Amino acid sequence: VGDPPPLMDAATAATATAAAALVWFRKGLRVHDNPALDAARRSAARVYPVFVLDPRYLRPDPAAPSPGSARAGVARVRFLLESLRDLDARLRRLGSRLLVLRARDDVSDAVCAALKDWNIGKLCFESDTEPYALARDKRVTDFAAASGIEVFSPVSHTLFDPAEIIEKNGGRPPLTYQSFVATAGEPPKPVMEKYSELPPIGDTGGYELLPVPKLEELGYGDLSQEYIPPFRGGETEALKRMRESLQDKEWVAKFEKPKGDPSAFLKPATTVLSPYLKFGCLSARYFYHCIQDVYRSTKTHTKPPVSLAGQLLWRDFFYTVSFGTPNFHQMEGNKICKQIPWRENGELFVAWRDGRTGYPWIDAIMIQLRKWGWMHHLARHSVACFLTRGDLAVTSSKGY
């Protein structure tokens, strides 16, 4: 007879079965703890896993100071492409694959066209609180609502739902770490169920289904001299790096953020899991859950805000404050940001950006950022303070 089917969570059980579901990947580039993927596989006979190449993010910018787009350097784009290839490989092991589409201009147009052309009954995607994503997603969900398509958009990029935290805090985002932690409590548990297959992909009609492009195919020019970072993108590498970090239980238990060595080179002083969390190759909830397992096996451990788990809470704190604060990304119109008459100095900004200030520590960090796409958090503090309040008093990079 076999094992009975696993129990569905309340949100999934309440939804009607759809003939076809589309899982729209943006961040959340993983199979483990992916509530959107899990809901789609439970509720549909056919599942279309889709990623749309966004020209806003990937389009080459001839004016960029280094190869890449206006919003992403080569190291970041390389990491994304590696993550997509790994996701495709993991989906193929489950009898599916990643359907890569290319948007001409607006990603939402490409998604809406696929929803219509493939007769999709249910759309599943991880919610995103960033302003660009909110506007993009509203265009898609408005189309879905008008077309009678069910939408399931769970929170899984962060430990908590920022909107729920703000509601619990009286409609305002907590503005101190301590008040955030007190309001938040314990995060929901990750989706721990593993499965061996996914429903098949349905007919894609005349769509051109692209392989994940190679970096050299994106039009960034000669990349032969570009440094290949030591951190490879993807869920496989994320889980491997996490497990290696957590094997040293004493290190995890004694982790204390301010005491890390930002100059450690061959073996960085932190987990270097931040890019994997950013692209969703690693679930923050799963990482938090695994850290708690280590804590339970040790007699004592450090506490937030300095502990390893405390760093994930810092991340959620930032997401919550940024989501609940209009114009958070800038000074003007930002009610929680001090208004400072910063000066504009393109020459100083370019010297800082390109690692030519003449201050060896600052220049080394900026060169590392360009080559690796990553820097230690204390190094980040150093270069940020040097540019702004520490030495140069520059914040504007208009035209540079």
Side-chain angles (χ1 to χ4, degrees), residues 165-176:
I165 298 293
I166 292 170
E167 182 179 356
K168 287 171 66 176
N169 196 53
R172 302 178 305 276
L175 295 182
T176 68

Side-chain angles (χ1 to χ4, degrees), residues 82 88 172 243 271:
E82 290 170 347
D88 181 50
R172 302 178 305 276
R243 289 166 184 150
T271 62

Side-chain angles (χ1 to χ4, degrees), residues 25-165:
F25 286 93
R26 303 90 62 81
K27 299 174 186 174
L29 303 179
R30 64 179 185 271
V31 172
H32 77 277
D33 187 30
N34 191 324
L37 178 63
D38 188 57
R41 76 172 183 92
R42 290 176 182 274
S43 59
R46 301 188 306 279
V47 172
Y48 295 75
V50 170
F51 184 89
V52 183
L53 299 172
D54 189 347
R56 179 180 183 273
Y57 185 80
L58 297 173
R59 182 183 290 121
D61 180 11
S66 60
S69 73
R71 292 179 172 84
V74 164
R76 189 174 185 181
V77 175
R78 188 193 302 274
F79 193 95
L80 169 63
L81 299 181
E82 290 170 347
S83 300
L84 293 175
R85 277 190 283 272
D86 184 72
L87 176 61
D88 181 50
R90 296 178 79 90
L91 290 173
R92 287 177 186 271
R93 289 198 287 272
L94 297 174
S96 186
R97 61 166 290 191
L98 185 63
L99 305 176
V100 180
L101 306 178
R102 186 186 299 274
R104 290 184 178 180
D105 185 31
D106 194 323
V107 166
S108 60
D109 290 340
V111 175
C112 292
L115 292 174
K116 178 183 177 182
D117 295 341
W118 295 342
N119 195 27
I120 299 297
K122 184 170 184 175
L123 169 65
C124 302
F125 62 90
E126 178 182 78
S127 68
D128 193 329
T129 57
E130 296 185 19
Y132 167 71
L134 290 171
R136 174 198 63 198
D137 295 352
K138 186 178 186 305
R139 291 192 292 272
V140 173
T141 54
D142 285 350
F143 174 86
S147 305
I149 299 171
E150 182 185 357
V151 176
F152 179 59
S153 182
V155 173
S156 55
H157 187 64
T158 49
L159 297 174
F160 304 95
D161 182 343
E164 288 185 3
I165 298 293

Side-chain angles (χ1 to χ4, degrees), residues 267-288:
K267 188 179 186 302
T270 64
T271 62
V272 195
L273 287 171
S274 54
Y276 300 93
L277 291 165
K278 180 261 179 286
F279 283 100
C281 305
L282 177 65
S283 157
R285 287 177 183 165
Y286 181 62
F287 187 22
Y288 185 91

